[in-house]
Amino acid sequence: MTRSALTRDEVLDTAAALVREHGPAALTMRRLAAELGTAVTSIYWHVGNRESLLDALVARTVADLGTIRPRGATPAERIVSVARALRRALRERPHLVAMVHERGLTERMFLPAQRALVHEAHAAGLRGSRAAALVHAVQFQVVGHVLVERNRERAPAQPPAETDLWATEPTGLPAPDPELARALAAPVDTEAVFLVAVRALVAGLLP
Amino acid sequence: MTRSALTRDEVLDTAAALVREHGPAALTMRRLAAELGTAVTSIYWHVGNRESLLDALVARTVADLGTIRPRGATPAERIVSVARALRRALRERPHLVAMVHERGLTERMFLPAQRALVHEAHAAGLRGSRAAALVHAVQFQVVGHVLVERNRERAPAQPPAETDLWATEPTGLPAPDPELARALAAPVDTEAVFLVAVRALVAGLLP
DNA sequence: ACCTGAACACCGTTCAAGT
DNA sequence: ACCTGAACACCGTTCAAGT
């Protein structure tokens, strides 16, 4: 039994599935060929080479992040809702987002959300460069936060643990209050940090 | 003429130089061996394997980021100065910082700066979980910003350019003012975005 | 137009053998 | 204790040859 004709879309689908299920390292040309049931070299006819294949996958991911719909009564709430929606969308595609990041296209991916932010900044009464500043600040904030967050999740157990570091004081600094020490030693609630930061940023930049 | 005995430090030095000058992709065991003038397999005796070698390089980078000295009259100024100093330190080691990030140790690298931030938050009158919130928010902000910034610098020319996207309006959204459109189309002054965001964040979280 | 296998120049790693 | 070359199982890519 011979397989039906290979198509570029089929190659991309299978490659995306491979990345989603086994991570980017599993996406080798030989493994992809095995998965497709074709010779390795057939893939080259359809997608050029590995580099172009990754480019195409990344372009797909960017396209997948559809329009962001702001929710809430006030402009501040609506801006925060855009930030939260974007964070969630990014977190649902960890491997692919990492690939987008590696290829320097993180900002391109952010464009639909940027449109929504422009709209809200305008509605809030911000004009010109002050509006642009808000848009860029939120953009950097959200993307940066997601990158840091992903980083934390992959982090190995890190000796010395933060707990130890804050239990023994370095010379020259006054001991922080016990509650602060406890708060710093506990695992970080990244969602809470995200909300606190976005709200403070928006409050600081809206008129 | 035979070379002097190989040491672990010599391996790490040469590996670091390779990464600094030619990027992480240039760090292969075979090339490293050629650079050192030894057999490939000798390296394994000193550093175990490639993974451990990268771990050691990353640990070095983390150690290199020494103590951060806050400057300025008010707590807000001093916190902002810590953020700026950290951003500069990270930007001076782009390849190695990327490796730290890939290995999930970005936060570990941030620890000296975190101590300084705790000190300043305390001096500003923040206590307990509110102080911890400020520290974490600034930490995520700075690291995230640097990651996004690095990403921008590597970004290829991205058709469609932002200029085109903001020139033609999508249906349903009111046209933003011309100055805003110009500000969004122009290349982003990332340093300015950084300062605006950090200042707004700190202002929003200090008492 | 599409697919193939053979071949090339690379990888990281293991291991038995040397000194 | 330290170093070596040979060998293994992988890579991505090219290319002449098939249909």
Side-chain angles (χ1 to χ4, degrees), chain A residues 92-134:
Chain A
E92 276 167 7
R93 304 157 175 81
H95 289 317
L96 284 166
V97 166
M99 285 171 55
V100 172
H101 179 63
E102 269 162 34
R103 306 185 88 64
L105 291 170
T106 315
E107 296 227 52
R108 178 69 187 73
M109 187 169 60
F110 197 87
L111 241 162
Q114 200 185 42
R115 288 184 192 282
L117 287 177
V118 166
H119 182 70
E120 294 305 327
H122 194 88
L126 280 185
R127 294 292 179 272
S129 58
R130 285 176 53 90
L134 171 70

Side-chain angles (χ1 to χ4, degrees), chain B residues 3 5-8 11 29 32-33 36-49:
Chain B
R3 49 156 300 127
L6 191 61
T7 66
R8 182 185 157 87
V11 173
M29 303 301 268
L32 180 54
L36 286 164
T38 61
V40 198
T41 41
S42 302
I43 300 172
Y44 284 82
W45 199 92
H46 287 283
V47 299
N49 55 20

Side-chain angles (χ1 to χ4, degrees), chain A:
Chain A
M1 143 166 193
T2 162
R3 49 154 299 123
S4 60
L6 191 62
T7 65
R8 181 184 156 88
D9 270 347
E10 196 185 352
V11 173
L12 293 183
D13 286 342
T14 309
L18 221 41
V19 169
R20 190 165 46 244
E21 285 157 35
H22 302 102
L27 180 53
T28 71
M29 302 301 267
R30 283 174 159 86
R31 173 150 184 192
L32 181 53
E35 212 85 23
L36 286 163
T38 60
V40 198
T41 41
S42 303
I43 300 170
Y44 283 83
W45 199 92
H46 287 283
V47 298
N49 55 20
R50 186 165 192 271
E51 205 65 7
S52 322
L53 172 59
L54 295 185
D55 282 340
L57 279 185
V58 160
R60 270 196 173 197
T61 305
V62 170
D64 278 358
L65 291 191
T67 315
I68 306 279
R69 263 174 294 280
R71 297 179 195 285
T74 68
E77 278 177 22
R78 294 163 70 79
I79 291 174
V80 171
S81 86
V82 170
R84 298 183 75 172
L86 186 70
R87 170 170 172 268
R88 196 152 62 85
L90 297 178
R91 284 175 59 81
E92 276 167 7
R93 304 157 175 81
H95 289 317
L96 284 166
V97 166
M99 285 171 55
V100 172
H101 179 63
E102 269 162 34
R103 306 185 88 64
L105 291 170
T106 315
E107 296 227 52
R108 178 69 187 73
M109 187 169 60
F110 197 87
L111 241 162
Q114 200 185 42
R115 288 184 192 282
L117 287 177
V118 166
H119 182 70
E120 294 305 327
H122 194 88
L126 280 185
R127 294 292 179 272
S129 58
R130 285 176 53 90
L134 171 70
V135 170
H136 285 138
V138 172
Q139 173 170 348
F140 274 65
Q141 169 98 345
V142 174
V143 178
H145 184 94
V146 171
L147 291 175
V148 173
E149 217 170 344
R150 265 191 50 70
N151 190 265
R152 292 200 128 243
E153 282 158 13
R154 275 177 313 163
Q158 293 170 21
E162 286 195 18
T163 318
D164 302 337
L165 283 161
W166 291 114
T168 64
E169 274 308 301
T171 50
L173 289 184
D177 54 318
E179 195 197 336
L180 172 54
R182 228 177 305 124
L184 286 173
V188 180
D189 179 348
T190 56
E191 166 117 31
V193 170
F194 178 74
L195 273 180
V196 164
V198 170
R199 284 191 178 126
L201 185 66
V202 170
L205 291 179
L206 280 190

Side-chain angles (χ1 to χ4, degrees), chain B residues 3 16-17 26 63 72 84 93 97 101 107 112 124 153 161-162 176 183 186 191 193 201 206:
Chain B
R3 49 156 300 127
R84 297 184 75 170
R93 304 156 174 81
V97 167
H101 178 64
E107 297 225 51
E153 283 159 12
E162 286 196 18
E191 166 117 31
V193 171
L201 185 66
L206 280 190

